[in-house]
C-alpha cells in the first residue's frame, strides 16, 4: 500500500536587506532566522515536507512559488513569510517589493490546477503600515480613536486562507527573541490547540497576541492585533498530524 503524499510547507525569512547598489536598507531583523528554523522543525514533526529559504530577492520569492506549481502536494500547502513589508506587499532582501496578491494568484486554480482542491494557508509576519497600536482598555465602552486610514482590499483566490501579524496600517513587532505573531503560532503548534480546525486555531493565535503580548523598551505598552481572511469552504485541520 503506497504512502500518502506529504503536505508541503514553504518558509521564507529575510533578515538582511541591501539595494542593488549594495547599500544597506531597512533594519536587520534579529531573531527572525531562529524563529523560522523552529517553525520549520515543528512543521516537519507534523509531517510536512518543509523548504526553508533565507534572504531571497523579490524575483527569487516569486520563483519559489512558481516552482511549487510543479511539485507533488499532499492535503495542504502552508507558507510562512517573515520579512519587512507594507500594506499588500512584502520586501525581498534586495528591497524589491512583492505583491501578496501576485503570490496568491501564482497558486490559484486558474494558474495552478494541481492545487485547485488543496487548501493554501499563509502566515505573514510583516508590517502593514507605520501606525502603532496603543491598545484599548477592555473595561471601557470605548477605546482610543482609530487611525484615519482606509484599509486596502485584499483579493485572495478560492481555497486560500491568509493570516497577518497585524491589522492594516499597523506595524508588526519583532525583537531578538522573535515576533509576537510567530511566537504565538509556535506555541499553538506545540500544544493541543494544533488539533483545532484552522479558523479556531487562528482565533486562538489572535487571543494569545492580544492578551499575552505587549511591546517593551521604546515602544512600551504598544500592542498588536493579528487578523485573517479566508475563502475556504470547509473546516480543515492542517496541523492535526
Amino acid at each position: 500500500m503506497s504512502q500518502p503524499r506529504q503536505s508541503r510547507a514553504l518558509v521564507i525569512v529575510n533578515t538582511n536587506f541591501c539595494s542593488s547598489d549594495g547599500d544597506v536598507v531597512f533594519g536587520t531583523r534579529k531573531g527572525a532566522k531562529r524563529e523560522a528554523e523552529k517553525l520549520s522543525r515543528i512543521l516537519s514533526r507534523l509531517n510536512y515536507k518543509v523548504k526553508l529559504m533565507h534572504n531571497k530577492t523579490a524575483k527569487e520569492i516569486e520563483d519559489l512559488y512558481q516552482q511549487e506549481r510543479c511539485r507533488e502536494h499532499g492535503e495542504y500547502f502552508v507558507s510562512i513569510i517573515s520579512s519587512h513589508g507594507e500594506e499588500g506587499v512584502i520586501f525581498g532582501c534586495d528591497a524589491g517589493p512583492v505583491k501578496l496578491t501576485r503570490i496568491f494568484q501564482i497558486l490559484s486554480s486558474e494558474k495552478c490546477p494541481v492545487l485547485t482542491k488543496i487548501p493554501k494557508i499563509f502566515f505573514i509576519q510583516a508590517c502593514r503600515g507605520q501606525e502603532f497600536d496603543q491598545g484599548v482598555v477592555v473595561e471601557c465602552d470605548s477605546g482610543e480613536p482609530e487611525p484615519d486610514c482606509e484599509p486596502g482590499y485584499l483579493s485572495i483566490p478560492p481555497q486560500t486562507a491568509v493570516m497577518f501579524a497585524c491589522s492594516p496600517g499597523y506595524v508588526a513587532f519583532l525583537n531578538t527573541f522573535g515576533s509576537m505573531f510567530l511566537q504565538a503560532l509556535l506555541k499553538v503548534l506545540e500544544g493541543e490547540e494544533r488539533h483545532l480546525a484552522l479558523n479556531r486555531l487562528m482565533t486562538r493565535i489572535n487571543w494569545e497576541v492580544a492578551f499575552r503580548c505587549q511591546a517593551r523598551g521604546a515602544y512600551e505598552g504598544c500592542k498588536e492585533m493579528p487578523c485573517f481572511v479566508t475563502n475556504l469552504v470547509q473546516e480543515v485541520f492542517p496541523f492535526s498530524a
Side-chain angles (χ1 to χ4, degrees):
M1 186 174 178
S2 61
Q3 292 290 324
R5 293 173 180 170
Q6 275 185 297
S7 293
R8 291 183 60 82
L10 174 60
V11 181
I12 300 172
V13 53
N14 286 340
T15 55
N16 301 300
F17 299 79
C18 293
S19 68
S20 57
D21 297 328
D23 296 327
V24 175
V25 293
F26 305 137
T28 301
R29 303 182 64 249
K30 297 178 180 178
K33 179 181 178 181
R34 181 170 53 184
E35 184 174 68
E37 290 170 345
K38 287 181 180 178
L39 283 163
S40 297
R41 286 195 294 271
I42 193 166
L43 286 170
S44 295
R45 293 201 299 269
L46 296 175
N47 203 35
Y48 279 82
K49 187 172 183 178
V50 182
K51 189 172 188 176
L52 172 60
M53 307 301 292
H54 296 280
N55 290 323
K56 294 300 171 183
T57 66
K59 185 181 184 306
E60 287 171 338
I61 290 171
E62 281 202 24
D63 288 346
L64 285 168
Y65 288 101
Q66 294 281 5
Q67 292 164 19
E68 288 299 323
R69 295 161 58 177
C70 306
R71 309 294 187 197
E72 290 189 348
H73 288 269
E75 287 187 83
Y76 304 101
F77 173 75
V78 170
S79 188
I80 300 171
I81 304 174
S82 178
S83 187
H84 284 299
E86 59 187 29
E87 181 55 31
V89 169
I90 57 99
F91 290 105
C93 66
D94 58 346
V98 182
K99 290 185 177 180
L100 292 173
T101 50
R102 170 64 178 156
I103 292 173
F104 304 150
Q105 285 300 323
I106 288 172
L107 302 179
S108 67
S109 57
E110 181 181 327
K111 301 288 186 181
C112 183
V114 71
L115 285 170
T116 297
K117 296 183 179 180
I118 296 175
K120 295 161 281 290
I121 304 158
F122 293 84
F123 296 92
I124 312 293
Q125 168 60 37
C127 292
R128 302 178 72 187
Q130 298 180 356
E131 296 285 340
F132 289 91
D133 190 342
Q134 302 299 326
V136 297
V137 181
V138 294
E139 293 83 5
C140 295
D141 290 330
S142 62
E144 295 292 324
E146 295 185 358
D148 185 18
C149 65
E150 291 292 330
Y153 175 72
L154 179 72
S155 175
I156 64 171
Q159 287 295 88
T160 303
V162 186
M163 188 168 198
F164 296 93
C166 55
S167 301
Y170 287 93
V171 300
F173 288 102
L174 173 78
N175 60 34
T176 54
F177 299 103
S179 64
M180 294 182 184
F181 174 55
L182 294 184
Q183 288 298 309
L185 174 60
L186 269 169
K187 182 177 180 180
V188 167
L189 294 183
E190 290 173 334
E192 290 303 308
E193 296 96 336
R194 70 180 184 276
H195 299 297
L196 295 172
L198 182 64
N199 63 324
R200 293 187 62 196
L201 181 144
M202 287 179 164
T203 303
R204 179 66 188 184
I205 293 171
N206 279 358
W207 186 91
E208 286 285 340
V209 176
F211 291 101
R212 293 192 171 178
C213 297
Q214 182 172 294
R216 298 287 186 263
Y219 305 109
E220 180 74 35
C222 287
K223 303 288 288 183
E224 185 174 297
M225 189 65 243
C227 58
F228 60 89
V229 58
T230 175
N231 271 349
L232 297 177
V233 294
Q234 76 277 357
E235 284 194 325
V236 296
F237 302 81
F239 305 114
S240 186

